[in-house]
Amino acid sequence: MSSAFTIAHRQHLPDARLTAAQRRRLGHMLRCLDGREEHASHFEVAIALFGRRLLSTADWHDSAFRYQTLRLVRDGLKMVERGYRQLLRARRLIRETAPAPPGPRVACRPRHTILK
């Protein structure tokens, strides 16, 4: 087998600076922005993200999915305007500035937000 074949079929490892939930949220934000660019309503974007069976037109105005969709659009726009650098620096800055505490390691991770 050629080296090009093995490189093309090598398993992709996710960026360790982001948790699975953060990667999923970023993907949702991008899909919201794509829907906005295609002039889809927030309801149509929510159906694409969460599925038709979880959403109803009657409950849309008080739906948690509506508020989540609005936040995803808002945060996606912030990310496009100024958030990419912060996203890439988030974990690296914490590792560089925080010295390791003496003693045994604690099995918990600090909470981080992508946008402030």
Side-chain angles (χ1 to χ4, degrees):
M1 287 189 188
S2 68
S3 61
F5 179 79
T6 54
I7 290 173
H9 289 84
R10 196 174 290 168
Q11 188 174 14
H12 174 71
L13 297 175
D15 189 349
R17 290 177 289 189
L18 297 173
T19 65
Q22 288 171 326
R23 280 192 303 277
R24 187 173 41 255
R25 180 166 167 72
L26 287 171
H28 285 305
M29 287 180 353
L30 290 174
R31 290 181 70 190
C32 284
L33 293 176
D34 288 343
R36 182 182 165 92
E37 189 173 297
E38 295 294 321
H39 304 290
S41 69
H42 287 121
F43 183 70
E44 293 168 335
V45 171
I47 288 173
L49 289 176
F50 308 114
R52 180 59 149 153
R53 67 183 182 89
L54 293 176
L55 298 165
S56 71
T57 309
D59 297 331
W60 174 244
H61 289 289
D62 292 329
S63 171
F65 293 111
R66 176 177 180 257
Y67 296 114
Q68 185 173 1
T69 303
L70 293 173
R71 284 191 306 270
L72 288 168
V73 170
R74 180 198 64 203
D75 293 347
L77 290 172
K78 283 183 188 177
M79 185 68 69
V80 168
E81 291 172 7
R82 62 186 182 275
Y84 287 111
R85 288 186 183 171
Q86 183 179 359
L87 172 67
L88 294 173
R89 278 186 278 184
R91 299 268 175 141
R92 191 172 2 160
L93 287 177
I94 291 168
R95 283 191 213 135
E96 291 173 359
T97 58
R105 294 189 95 165
V106 180
C108 65
R109 296 182 354 192
R111 290 185 178 188
H112 295 82
T113 58
I114 295 174
L115 299 173
K116 289 186 178 181

